[in-house]
């Protein structure tokens, strides 16, 4: 099987971009574009509509409109990997088709996640139907394995079957299992076939890169993009220096992980941008309390954390 | 708090009506209306767009169109309790608003089910936002507690809080926890306030009725409606006779539970209606194999199971 090494394939660090809502809980495309630009300036690609984007708390129509607004605002589609996997077949097809037509670099596709205990046959059927219905050879599907949230797993056997059936289309995976053994197995079995393995967070970034993987797609890249991207860009230069960078990333991540992640990311963006409305989240999430925000900022201080260039 | 005992309030047995798809996996409103009519003829109400309706495998637009088709086909909206709880706030609002405007007897509302481990505050915020945005005093919300599938629980504390905030609107619950202690606690604490407790299957129908509850909303009412409705209608007459009826219902349910439930329900409808296309399911589900269908029908035989009146 030929390895697709076209330069446009996403590599390095991507972020599931947090989605700003206004007071009425409507998504705000302009502020989203501004955050996307800041991430791109920090060498981080745009996995818009991920778990940390509250993508599943938005309707398909809202997501289609946001994608259009981002492209209209000049965000390069090739740097975007929108999440397009929904519970409903027809929703996934509609979103995926739109992303491909806009020229997105790939799509990150959750399995349908309402039913639990579904078979690999059923999941294969789901991905196959979407791929066939979209019917576009530009489509690049990155599978999204996040069992702690979706509660629906993408097994190694399923990946093998999908790769065999759609070798040019099944392009890689985001592994948010938190299980390094699983990431390692994917790196060994599938990365050599050009199936790009992204760790689900920067916790496993260095290990993934050393194992031949493509990089990471990480929530905290929303707030700490430059440092994470720097490790992805320099890890081969000096081993000790890379280990040190990894440890610094871990220290920042640990702070965010000690809080509800999405409200904490948004509280940080709100604080460092000076735009308090960033703190808004859609239900079923709740914003951090003032006490939690205080604790977050205090805990970040000793790590030297900042978000340069975010304000204005 | 006044108990709303208006005669239009749904009671007895309802079915999460299975949704027919054509060969192209498109929902088929005409065949759905025909199955709804058969259920009504057997004294079973219509919880369309439930778990067993593959509701979350359909887009909001598909569900809105089906609701309109059912009403246009003469299905009385007062007998419908459509599922309208989605992951996305805006989707839940749109579906719920439409159901209320059509005059549906109530809506069955899942909590947003993508994020796990969310707080009661977040779930309260979700239900409250939907209720406020729909803003219609005709709205009757039946909470949908199905932790084995949604993996998001509706706690007793949350019910209490919702009942206090929206006493006229929060009308009841479907308890599909499979945990009788939970159903019993709801019956004791909330049924006396006019909060109608429906068991999630006929397994607990008699116990629920004896505990003062409203009835059940059950998958297998799609295939065994008359017998289940008979128990709901006659349970007070003779205790021994009621126990016997319950045992007969359990025997049929046991057969369906030994298979993947939704494909098995549809295989039975296909077989007894003589319309093989009923066997179709949307991914991530898969239809029963011929061998499974054979095993299902053989296992049903000794129970005396049939679906009279279904064919034409």
């Amino acid at each position: 099987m030929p390895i697709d090494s076209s330069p446009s394939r996403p590599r390095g660090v991507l972020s599931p971009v947090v989605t700003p809502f206004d007071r009425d809980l409507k998504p705000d495309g302009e502020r989203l574009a501004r955050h996307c630009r800041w991430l791109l300036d920090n060498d981080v690609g745009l996995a818009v509509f991920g778990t940390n984007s509250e993508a599943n708390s938005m309707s398909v129509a809202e997501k289609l409109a946001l994608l259009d607004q981002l492209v209209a605002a000049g965000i390069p589609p090739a740097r975007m990997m929108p999440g397009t996997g929904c519970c409903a077949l027809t929703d996934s097809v509609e979103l995926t088709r739109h992303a491909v037509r806009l020229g997105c670099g790939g799509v990150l596709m959750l399995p349908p996640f309402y039913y639990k205990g579904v078979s690999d046959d059923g999941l294969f059927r789901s991905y196959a139907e979407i791929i066939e219905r979209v019917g576009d050879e530009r489509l690049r599907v990155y599978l999204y394995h996040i069992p702690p949230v979706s509660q629906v797993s993408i097994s190694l056997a399923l990946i093998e079957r999908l790769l065999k059936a759609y070798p040019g289309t099944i392009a890689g995976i985001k592994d948010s299992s938190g299980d390094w053994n699983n990431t390692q197995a994917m790196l060994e079995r599938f990365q050599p076939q050009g199936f790009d393995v992204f760790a689900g967070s920067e916790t496993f970034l260095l290990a993934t890169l050393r194992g031949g993987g493509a990089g990471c797609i990480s929530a905290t890249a929303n707030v700490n993009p430059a440092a994470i991207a720097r490790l992805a860009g320099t890890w081969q230069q000096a081993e000790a220096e890379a280990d040190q960078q990894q440890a610094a990333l871990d220290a920042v991540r640990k702070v965010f992980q000690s809080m509800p992640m999405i409200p904490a990311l948004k509280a940080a963006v709100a604080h460092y941008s000076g735009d308090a409305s960033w703190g808004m989240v859609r239900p079923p999430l709740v914003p951090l309390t003032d006490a939690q925000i205080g604790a977050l900022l205090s805990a970040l201080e000793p790590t030297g954390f900042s978000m340069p260039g975010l304000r204005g």
Side-chain angles (χ1 to χ4, degrees), chain A residues 44-148:
Chain A
V44 162
L46 309 169
V48 293
F49 310 156
T51 297
N52 288 278
S53 315
E54 297 170 80
N56 287 308
S57 302
M58 293 189 280
S59 71
V60 169
E62 288 172 324
K63 286 182 268 196
L64 293 172
L66 281 179
L67 262 192
D68 288 341
Q69 282 178 279
L70 291 178
V71 173
I75 304 297
R79 296 297 312 260
M80 287 202 267
M81 188 196 283
T84 63
C86 307
C87 288
L89 174 69
T90 35
D91 284 341
S92 301
V93 170
E94 188 176 6
L95 257 174
T96 304
R97 189 178 280 148
H98 198 71
V100 172
R101 285 188 184 156
L102 286 177
C104 289
V107 298
L108 188 56
M109 206 181 284
L110 277 169
F113 52 84
Y114 182 64
Y115 296 103
K116 306 304 183 300
V118 292
S119 64
D120 272 7
D121 278 355
L123 294 177
F124 178 85
R125 191 176 169 233
S126 174
Y127 281 112
E129 277 291 341
I130 297 166
I131 291 168
E132 306 273 359
R133 283 167 190 243
V134 171
D136 193 314
E137 60 180 19
R138 292 169 299 172
L139 173 60
R140 295 289 174 276
V141 172
Y142 293 82
L143 306 170
Y144 188 6
H145 179 55
I146 182 168

Side-chain angles (χ1 to χ4, degrees), chain A residues 249-272:
Chain A
L249 300 184
D250 294 347
V252 171
R253 180 160 181 106
K254 198 178 159 194
V255 175
F256 282 95
Q257 273 184 333
S258 71
M259 301 258 167
M261 177 63 88
I262 299 168
L265 294 172
K266 288 184 137 179
V269 176
H271 177 78
Y272 288 96

Side-chain angles (χ1 to χ4, degrees), chain A residues 181-196:
Chain A
N181 289 332
N182 189 61
T183 311
Q184 201 164 29
M186 291 175 177
L187 285 168
E188 284 165 12
R189 285 180 59 175
F190 305 121
Q191 182 70 56
Q193 298 175 45
F195 176 86
D196 282 333

Side-chain angles (χ1 to χ4, degrees), chain A residues 5-48:
Chain A
S5 57
S6 60
S8 67
R9 270 187 89 140
R11 293 192 72 79
V13 181
L14 291 91
S15 177
V17 188
V18 284
T19 307
F21 297 109
D22 65 17
R23 265 186 233 175
D24 201 33
L25 296 176
K26 283 206 185 99
D28 181 337
E30 267 183 50
R31 279 192 297 149
L32 178 60
R34 215 175 308 145
H35 194 59
C36 285
R37 245 177 253 121
W38 182 74
L39 292 172
L40 289 175
D41 287 347
N42 284 284
D43 287 327
V44 162
L46 309 169
V48 293

Side-chain angles (χ1 to χ4, degrees), chain A residues 132-202:
Chain A
E132 306 273 359
R133 283 167 190 243
V134 171
D136 193 314
E137 60 180 19
R138 292 169 299 172
L139 173 60
R140 295 289 174 276
V141 172
Y142 293 82
L143 306 170
Y144 188 6
H145 179 55
I146 182 168
V149 183
S150 66
Q151 304 278 333
V152 175
S153 279
I154 297 171
S155 70
L156 300 178
L158 176 61
I159 297 171
E160 186 152 46
R161 201 167 146 190
L162 283 167
L163 265 175
K164 204 168 167 181
Y166 303 102
T169 303
I170 299 294
I173 196 162
K174 175 183 182 189
D175 183 6
S176 296
S177 65
D179 172 5
W180 173 248
N181 289 332
N182 189 61
T183 311
Q184 201 164 29
M186 291 175 177
L187 285 168
E188 284 165 12
R189 285 180 59 175
F190 305 121
Q191 182 70 56
Q193 298 175 45
F195 176 86
D196 282 333
V197 176
F198 288 88
S201 89
E202 73 275 26

